[in-house]
Amino acid sequence: MKKLLISSVVLGLGLLLAGCQQRATGNQGYQVGILQVVQHGSLDQARNGFKTGLRQALKAHGKSTKVTYHYLNAQGDQSNLNTMSQQLVQQKNDLLLGIATPAAQALAKKTTTTPTLVTAVTDLKAASLVKSAAKPQTNVSGTSDLTPVGKQLKLLKSLTTGNRPLGVMYNSSEENSVLQVKLAKQYAQRHHLNLKIVSATSTNDIASVLAGLKGQISGLYLPTDNLMASAMKMIGQKAKAADLPVVTGSIEMAEDGGTATYGLNYYDLGKQTGKMAYRVLVNHQKPQTLPVETAKHLHLYVNRANAKSIGLKADQIKQP
C-alpha cells in the first residue's frame, strides 16, 4: 500500500512538473500583454507589425504555438496607463509590449521581472528603461524609432523657397520629441539653417500655433510625436491651405497629411520587435542581454496628392 501511495505521489509530481515545463516552453500557448499609449497610424502599424513578426518567426522555425494577445489602449490618458499597466502585469503574461515611451515607462514601473519589449520609443536610456542600448541590464529591451532628423530637415529645405525659416512644431511634454528637436537644433547650427521652433501640448493648441506661424515660415517639420501624429489630418489641411510643404518624422504621418519624409516604416519596426519577442519567448533569451535595435531600413516617401496640391512635382523630390 505504501509503495502504491509513494508511486502515485511521484507520478503526480511528475505530471505537474511536465505540465509546468509544457507551459514554460509555450506548448499551451503564449500570453502577450500589449499597452499602447494612444491610437494613431504609426503606433497601430507598429502593433500590427509586431504580431506579424512574431507569427513569421514562429512559422519559420516550425512552431505552431498559439499566441493570445491582451491589448489595451490608454487613449493618451496617464491614469489609464497606470491602471492598464497594473492589469497587464497581474495577468501574468509571458511577455509585455509597450508601444511608445509613456506606455513603456508605465509597464517598467509595474514590473522588474516580466520580460518586456518596447517599440516606438526614441531613446530607451533617456527614458530610464535600460542602462545602455548595447547592454540593457533591465527586464526591458526593444526597438528605437530614432529618425534621421538631419536628413529630414535637409529634405524640407530642398522643398522650400525664399529666406523664411523652417518651422518645427512638437509637443514639449514628450521626451522623444524633445530629443529630436535637440538634434534638429544641432543640425541647423552646423548647416546654418534658420529654425522657428514652437510647441503645442494639445490638439486645440496645434490650431492656434499654426495660425501664429502664418506667413512666418517656408515649410514645417514635425518629429515623430504622438500628439502631432494624432492631429496630422488637421495639420495637413491647414498647411496645404497655406501652400506649406510638411516633412514628417514617419511615413505614416506623411501619409496622413504630410508632403514627404525620409524615414522609417513603423510596421517594419514592429516586425523587428516581433522577431525579438520570438527570441525571448522561444529561445528564452532575457531582455537584459538583448541590445536595443534601430530601424534596419529607411525609405523616401512622397505624398503625391499633397505635393501636387502645393505646386510640387513629386518626381523631383529626391532622397536627401
Side-chain angles (χ1 to χ4, degrees):
M1 185 69 180
K2 275 187 177 181
K3 287 184 178 180
L4 180 61
L5 182 60
I6 291 171
S7 297
S8 299
V9 171
V10 170
L11 177 61
L13 286 172
L15 291 171
L16 179 62
L17 289 172
C20 290
Q21 184 178 14
Q22 187 181 48
R23 180 71 183 92
T25 55
N27 289 336
Q28 293 182 351
Y30 296 114
Q31 304 290 319
V32 177
I34 301 178
L35 181 61
Q36 185 170 319
V37 65
V38 70
Q39 185 170 4
H40 64 67
S42 297
L43 302 189
D44 292 344
Q45 289 286 12
R47 185 181 75 252
N48 294 334
F50 174 83
K51 292 180 179 180
T52 299
L54 179 53
R55 182 176 66 252
Q56 289 178 345
L58 288 167
K59 184 178 180 180
H61 292 85
K63 307 290 184 181
S64 58
T65 314
K66 180 182 178 183
V67 181
T68 301
Y69 294 99
H70 305 283
Y71 167 63
L72 296 174
N73 193 312
Q75 298 301 343
D77 186 285
Q78 185 60 47
S79 61
N80 286 345
L81 284 172
N82 183 58
T83 303
M84 291 175 175
S85 58
Q86 183 68 40
Q87 181 180 339
L88 290 173
V89 170
Q90 289 177 343
Q91 286 177 346
K92 304 296 182 182
N93 286 289
D94 300 300
L95 177 75
L96 297 173
L97 174 68
I99 303 179
T101 303
Q105 290 173 322
L107 289 173
K109 287 177 182 177
K110 297 299 181 183
T111 178
T112 58
T113 55
T114 304
T116 302
L117 293 178
V118 305
T119 190
V121 176
T122 302
D123 189 332
L124 278 71
K125 183 179 179 182
S128 301
L129 296 169
V130 300
K131 300 296 183 183
S132 75
K135 295 181 179 180
Q137 300 180 53
T138 66
N139 65 313
V140 180
S141 188
T143 55
S144 164
D145 65 354
L146 183 61
T147 58
V149 174
K151 289 188 177 181
Q152 290 172 347
L153 282 176
K154 183 179 179 181
L155 175 61
L156 179 60
K157 182 62 178 175
S158 73
L159 305 182
T160 64
T161 57
N163 296 318
R164 288 175 180 167
L166 302 179
V168 177
M169 184 167 63
Y170 74 111
N171 180 1
S172 58
S173 65
E174 290 193 30
E175 293 179 24
N176 56 319
S177 304
V178 172
L179 171 63
Q180 291 170 86
V181 170
K182 179 181 178 182
L183 295 174
K185 289 178 180 177
Q186 292 172 350
Y187 179 86
Q189 187 173 17
R190 290 195 305 270
H191 296 272
H192 309 290
L193 289 180
N194 188 12
L195 301 182
K196 185 173 181 61
I197 299 173
V198 294
S199 174
T201 56
S202 71
T203 303
N204 290 335
D205 281 347
I206 290 174
S208 60
V209 169
L210 282 173
L213 289 174
K214 187 176 181 179
Q216 296 188 36
I217 59 174
S218 58
L220 181 63
Y221 175 66
L222 304 171
T224 51
D225 180 298
N226 292 307
L227 177 62
M228 301 303 142
S230 299
M232 269 312 303
K233 285 183 170 57
M234 181 264 286
I235 295 172
Q237 289 170 356
K238 292 187 177 297
K240 185 166 65 173
D243 288 330
L244 284 176
V246 179
V247 168
T248 60
S250 76
I251 290 173
E252 290 80 8
M253 290 171 71
E255 289 175 336
D256 285 344
T259 306
T261 190
Y262 178 66
L264 59 89
N265 180 298
Y266 274 87
Y267 184 80
D268 290 343
L269 193 70
K271 283 179 67 175
Q272 272 186 245
T273 321
K275 290 174 182 177
M276 292 180 74
Y278 176 89
R279 293 159 65 188
V280 173
L281 291 170
V282 180
N283 296 342
H284 305 295
Q285 290 184 256
K286 295 182 178 181
Q288 288 91 327
T289 66
L290 294 177
V292 174
E293 297 184 12
T294 55
K296 293 179 179 178
H297 304 289
L298 298 175
H299 312 271
L300 173 68
Y301 171 80
V302 179
N303 185 329
R304 290 179 170 271
N306 180 278
K308 183 178 179 180
S309 70
I310 60 174
L312 293 174
K313 294 182 178 180
D315 294 337
Q316 294 178 345
I317 299 176
K318 305 297 182 182
Q319 179 175 315

Coordinates of all heavy atoms in Angstrom, one line a residue, residues 34 36 39-56 69 71 97 99 119 252 265-274:
I34 N -0.2 43.8 -24.4 CA 0.2 45.0 -25.2 C -0.4 46.2 -24.6 O -1.6 46.3 -24.5 CB -0.1 44.8 -26.6 CG1 0.5 43.6 -27.3 CG2 0.3 46.1 -27.4 CD1 0.1 43.4 -28.7
Q36 N -0.6 50.3 -25.4 CA -0.4 51.3 -26.4 C -0.8 52.7 -25.8 O -1.9 52.8 -25.2 CB -1.1 51.0 -27.7 CG -0.8 52.0 -28.8 CD -1.4 51.5 -30.1 OE1 -1.3 50.3 -30.4 NE2 -2.0 52.4 -30.9
Q39 N -4.1 55.9 -29.9 CA -4.4 55.3 -31.2 C -4.1 56.3 -32.3 O -4.6 57.4 -32.4 CB -5.8 54.9 -31.3 CG -6.2 54.2 -32.6 CD -7.6 53.5 -32.6 OE1 -8.3 53.7 -31.6 NE2 -7.9 52.8 -33.6
H40 N -3.1 56.0 -33.2 CA -2.9 56.7 -34.4 C -2.1 55.8 -35.4 O -1.6 54.7 -34.9 CB -2.2 58.0 -34.2 CG -0.8 58.0 -33.6 ND1 0.3 57.5 -34.3 CD2 -0.3 58.5 -32.5 CE1 1.4 57.6 -33.6 NE2 1.0 58.2 -32.5
G41 N -2.0 56.2 -36.6 CA -1.5 55.3 -37.7 C -0.1 54.7 -37.3 O 0.0 53.4 -37.5
S42 N 0.9 55.4 -36.9 CA 2.2 54.9 -36.7 C 2.2 53.8 -35.6 O 2.8 52.7 -35.8 CB 3.1 56.0 -36.3 OG 3.3 57.0 -37.3
L43 N 1.5 54.1 -34.5 CA 1.6 53.1 -33.4 C 0.7 51.9 -33.7 O 1.1 50.8 -33.3 CB 1.1 53.8 -32.1 CG 1.8 55.0 -31.6 CD1 1.4 55.4 -30.2 CD2 3.4 54.7 -31.6
D44 N -0.4 52.1 -34.4 CA -1.2 50.9 -34.8 C -0.4 50.0 -35.8 O -0.5 48.8 -35.7 CB -2.5 51.4 -35.6 CG -3.4 52.1 -34.6 OD1 -3.3 52.0 -33.4 OD2 -4.3 52.9 -35.1
Q45 N 0.4 50.6 -36.7 CA 1.2 49.9 -37.6 C 2.3 49.1 -36.9 O 2.6 48.0 -37.2 CB 1.8 50.8 -38.7 CG 0.8 51.3 -39.7 CD 0.4 50.2 -40.7 OE1 0.6 49.0 -40.5 NE2 -0.3 50.6 -41.7
A46 N 2.8 49.7 -35.8 CA 3.9 49.1 -35.0 C 3.3 47.8 -34.4 O 3.9 46.8 -34.3 CB 4.4 50.0 -34.0
R47 N 2.1 48.0 -33.8 CA 1.4 46.8 -33.2 C 1.1 45.7 -34.2 O 1.4 44.5 -33.9 CB 0.1 47.3 -32.5 CG -0.6 46.2 -31.7 CD -1.9 46.7 -31.1 NE -3.0 46.8 -32.1 CZ -3.5 47.9 -32.5 NH1 -3.0 49.1 -32.1 NH2 -4.5 47.9 -33.4
N48 N 0.6 46.1 -35.3 CA 0.3 45.1 -36.3 C 1.6 44.4 -36.8 O 1.6 43.2 -37.1 CB -0.4 45.7 -37.5 CG -1.8 46.2 -37.1 OD1 -2.4 45.7 -36.2 ND2 -2.3 47.2 -37.8
G49 N 2.6 45.2 -37.0 CA 3.9 44.6 -37.4 C 4.5 43.7 -36.4 O 5.1 42.6 -36.8
F50 N 4.3 44.0 -35.1 CA 4.8 43.1 -34.1 C 4.2 41.7 -34.2 O 4.9 40.7 -34.1 CB 4.5 43.7 -32.7 CG 4.8 42.8 -31.5 CD1 6.1 42.8 -31.0 CD2 3.8 42.1 -30.9 CE1 6.4 41.9 -30.0 CE2 4.1 41.2 -29.9 CZ 5.4 41.2 -29.4
K51 N 2.9 41.7 -34.3 CA 2.2 40.4 -34.4 C 2.6 39.6 -35.7 O 2.9 38.4 -35.6 CB 0.7 40.7 -34.5 CG 0.0 41.2 -33.2 CD -1.5 41.4 -33.4 CE -2.1 41.9 -32.1 NZ -3.6 42.1 -32.3
T52 N 2.8 40.4 -36.8 CA 3.3 39.7 -38.0 C 4.7 39.1 -37.8 O 5.0 38.0 -38.2 CB 3.3 40.7 -39.2 OG1 2.0 41.1 -39.4 CG2 3.8 40.0 -40.4
G53 N 5.6 39.9 -37.2 CA 7.0 39.5 -37.0 C 7.1 38.3 -36.1 O 7.8 37.3 -36.4
L54 N 6.3 38.2 -35.0 CA 6.3 37.1 -34.2 C 5.7 35.9 -34.9 O 6.2 34.7 -34.8 CB 5.5 37.4 -32.9 CG 5.4 36.2 -31.8 CD1 6.8 35.7 -31.5 CD2 4.7 36.7 -30.6
R55 N 4.6 36.1 -35.6 CA 4.0 35.0 -36.3 C 4.9 34.4 -37.4 O 5.1 33.2 -37.5 CB 2.7 35.4 -37.0 CG 1.9 34.3 -37.7 CD 0.6 34.8 -38.3 NE 0.8 35.8 -39.3 CZ 0.5 37.1 -39.2 NH1 0.0 37.5 -38.1 NH2 0.6 37.9 -40.2
Q56 N 5.6 35.3 -38.1 CA 6.5 34.8 -39.1 C 7.7 34.0 -38.5 O 8.2 33.0 -39.1 CB 7.0 36.0 -39.9 CG 6.0 36.6 -40.9 CD 6.5 37.8 -41.6 OE1 7.5 38.4 -41.3 NE2 5.8 38.2 -42.7
Y69 N -3.2 37.6 -27.4 CA -2.8 39.0 -27.1 C -3.9 39.6 -26.3 O -5.1 39.5 -26.5 CB -2.7 39.8 -28.4 CG -1.5 39.3 -29.3 CD1 -1.8 38.5 -30.4 CD2 -0.2 39.7 -29.0 CE1 -0.7 38.0 -31.2 CE2 0.8 39.3 -29.8 CZ 0.6 38.4 -30.9 OH 1.6 38.0 -31.7
Y71 N -4.7 43.3 -25.5 CA -4.4 44.6 -25.9 C -5.2 45.7 -25.2 O -6.4 45.6 -25.1 CB -4.6 44.7 -27.4 CG -4.6 46.1 -28.0 CD1 -3.5 46.9 -28.0 CD2 -5.8 46.6 -28.6 CE1 -3.5 48.2 -28.5 CE2 -5.8 47.9 -29.1 CZ -4.6 48.7 -29.1 OH -4.6 49.9 -29.6
L97 N 4.5 44.1 -24.1 CA 4.9 45.0 -25.1 C 4.4 46.4 -24.8 O 3.2 46.6 -24.7 CB 4.5 44.6 -26.5 CG 4.7 45.5 -27.6 CD1 6.2 45.6 -27.9 CD2 4.0 45.1 -28.9
I99 N 4.0 50.2 -26.3 CA 4.1 50.9 -27.6 C 4.1 52.4 -27.3 O 3.1 53.0 -26.9 CB 3.0 50.5 -28.6 CG1 3.0 49.0 -28.8 CG2 3.1 51.3 -29.9 CD1 1.9 48.5 -29.7
T119 N 8.5 49.4 -28.4 CA 8.8 49.9 -29.7 C 8.2 51.3 -29.8 O 7.4 51.7 -29.0 CB 8.2 48.9 -30.8 OG1 8.7 49.4 -32.1 CG2 6.7 49.0 -30.8
E252 N 4.0 57.1 -41.9 CA 2.6 57.1 -41.6 C 2.0 58.5 -41.4 O 0.9 58.9 -41.9 CB 2.3 56.3 -40.4 CG 2.4 54.8 -40.6 CD 3.9 54.3 -40.5 OE1 4.8 55.1 -40.2 OE2 4.1 53.1 -40.8
N265 N 9.5 52.9 -41.4 CA 8.2 52.4 -41.5 C 7.9 51.7 -40.2 O 8.6 50.8 -39.8 CB 8.1 51.5 -42.7 CG 6.7 50.9 -42.9 OD1 6.2 50.2 -42.0 ND2 6.1 51.1 -44.0
Y266 N 6.8 52.1 -39.5 CA 6.5 51.6 -38.2 C 6.1 50.1 -38.2 O 6.3 49.4 -37.3 CB 5.5 52.4 -37.4 CG 6.2 53.6 -36.7 CD1 6.4 54.8 -37.4 CD2 6.6 53.5 -35.4 CE1 7.0 55.9 -36.7 CE2 7.2 54.5 -34.8 CZ 7.4 55.7 -35.4 OH 8.0 56.8 -34.8
Y267 N 5.5 49.7 -39.3 CA 5.1 48.3 -39.5 C 6.4 47.5 -39.5 O 6.5 46.4 -38.8 CB 4.3 48.1 -40.8 CG 3.8 46.7 -41.0 CD1 2.7 46.3 -40.3 CD2 4.5 45.9 -41.8 CE1 2.2 45.0 -40.5 CE2 4.0 44.6 -42.0 CZ 2.9 44.1 -41.4 OH 2.4 42.9 -41.6
D268 N 7.4 47.9 -40.2 CA 8.7 47.2 -40.3 C 9.3 47.2 -38.9 O 9.9 46.2 -38.5 CB 9.6 47.8 -41.3 CG 9.1 47.6 -42.8 OD1 8.3 46.7 -43.0 OD2 9.6 48.3 -43.7
L269 N 9.3 48.3 -38.2 CA 9.9 48.4 -36.9 C 9.2 47.4 -35.9 O 9.8 46.8 -35.1 CB 9.8 49.8 -36.4 CG 10.7 50.1 -35.1 CD1 12.1 50.1 -35.5 CD2 10.3 51.5 -34.5
G270 N 7.9 47.4 -36.0 CA 7.1 46.4 -35.2 C 7.5 45.0 -35.5 O 7.6 44.1 -34.6
K271 N 7.7 44.7 -36.8 CA 8.2 43.3 -37.2 C 9.5 43.0 -36.6 O 9.7 41.8 -36.1 CB 8.2 43.2 -38.7 CG 6.9 43.1 -39.4 CD 7.1 43.0 -40.9 CE 7.7 41.7 -41.4 NZ 7.8 41.6 -42.9
Q272 N 10.4 43.9 -36.5 CA 11.7 43.7 -35.9 C 11.5 43.3 -34.4 O 12.1 42.4 -33.9 CB 12.6 45.0 -35.9 CG 13.4 45.1 -37.1 CD 14.4 46.3 -37.1 OE1 14.2 47.2 -37.9 NE2 15.3 46.3 -36.1
T273 N 10.6 44.0 -33.8 CA 10.3 43.8 -32.3 C 9.7 42.4 -32.2 O 9.9 41.7 -31.2 CB 9.4 44.9 -31.8 OG1 9.7 46.2 -32.3 CG2 9.5 44.9 -30.3
G274 N 8.8 42.0 -33.1 CA 8.2 40.7 -33.0 C 9.2 39.6 -33.1 O 9.1 38.6 -32.5

